[in-house]
Amino acid sequence: MKATGIVRRIDDLGRVVIPKEIRRTMRIREGDPLEIYTEKDGEVIFKKYSPMGEWSESAAQLCDTMNKTVGCFVAVADRDSYISVAGVSKREVYEKHISNELEQLMEGRKLYQRSPSERGFVLVDGLDRYVVEIAAPILTEGDVLGCVVFFSDGSKASSEVEYKLAQTVAGFLGKQMES
C-alpha cells in the first residue's frame, strides 16, 4: 500500500472526502460504487466496485468464442479496464486502463465502427499498437457498465458481421447484468 500523506477527517455524518487528485488518478467519478474492505489492524480500504468483474469468466469465454468464430482480436471492458481479452497476449491488454477516447465513446452510449479512411483511436492509453475497430457499450437500465471491443493492429477493417456480433454480445451481457 502506498502512503499519500493526505489526511482527512470524518464529518459528523460519517463522511470522508476523497481528494480530487486521487479521484482523478484512480478514475473515480461521482456515483461510482466503492467496495469497502477492513483489515484486522484497523485499515479500511476502498476499492472501485465493478459489477462486470463478476462476469469476467463468462466474458473470457465469449471473447474466446468470438475470436475463434471471426478471427478478430476481442476484449470486454468494464468502465475502467479490460476484464477479458482474446487473440493477443493478455499481458498487453488484460487489466490495462481503457483509452480516454473509448471512455468517452461509452459515455455517449453509441455503437462505433471505424471507417477504413479514418485512423481510429487507441485501445489502451500509451499503447498505440492496437486501434479500436468496433465498440459496443454494455448497457443495463440506461447505465453504462462496460464495452465489447473488436480491435486490430490497424491493418484489418471490420465487417458488418463483427459489428452485429459486438452489438449482440453487448446486449446479452447487459441483459445478464439486469437479472
Side-chain angles (χ1 to χ4, degrees):
M1 195 171 347
K2 183 177 165 186
T4 63
I6 300 170
V7 176
R8 299 289 174 157
R9 295 197 183 277
I10 295 175
D11 71 8
D12 57 341
L13 295 176
R15 298 175 296 200
V16 63
V17 174
I18 300 172
K20 186 175 188 175
E21 305 82 39
I22 292 174
R23 292 194 316 265
R24 188 178 317 125
T25 303
M26 303 303 292
R27 293 183 173 192
I28 299 171
R29 296 172 288 279
E30 182 180 331
D32 281 354
L34 298 176
E35 202 165 6
I36 303 169
Y37 296 87
T38 58
E39 295 286 334
K40 290 182 181 177
D41 62 358
E43 289 180 90
V44 177
I45 301 165
F46 290 91
K47 184 177 177 184
K48 286 186 74 172
Y49 174 72
S50 169
M52 288 295 298
E54 298 172 10
W55 286 91
S56 62
E57 282 186 42
S58 297
Q61 292 171 354
L62 284 167
C63 284
D64 285 339
T65 303
M66 290 186 291
N67 171 254
K68 289 175 185 165
T69 303
V70 294
C72 293
F73 306 151
V74 186
V76 173
D78 62 14
R79 291 187 58 187
D80 297 301
S81 61
Y82 295 96
I83 63 167
S84 62
V85 63
V88 298
S89 169
K90 281 190 172 184
R91 187 177 1 163
E92 292 181 291
V93 179
Y94 183 67
E95 294 185 336
K96 301 281 193 252
H97 282 290
I98 63 172
S99 66
N100 289 329
E101 293 91 349
L102 185 58
E103 185 176 359
Q104 290 171 2
L105 189 128
M106 286 189 326
E107 290 302 319
R109 293 165 169 74
K110 293 204 184 334
L111 283 144
Y112 166 83
Q113 183 172 20
R114 180 178 77 92
S115 70
S117 62
E118 77 178 300
R119 184 182 178 286
F121 57 88
V122 296
L123 184 73
V124 177
D125 281 334
L127 177 68
D128 59 1
R129 181 174 178 184
Y130 301 115
V131 295
V132 174
E133 294 291 337
I134 297 170
I138 299 167
L139 304 173
T140 298
E141 298 173 358
D143 293 330
V144 178
L145 297 182
C147 197
V148 175
V149 182
F150 282 78
F151 62 100
S152 73
D153 57 9
S155 62
K156 182 182 183 214
S158 59
S159 72
E160 189 68 20
V161 171
E162 289 97 359
Y163 182 82
K164 291 291 186 185
L165 186 56
Q167 188 177 18
T168 301
V169 171
F172 172 78
L173 287 171
K175 289 290 184 194
Q176 291 299 307
M177 297 300 293
E178 286 178 6
S179 49

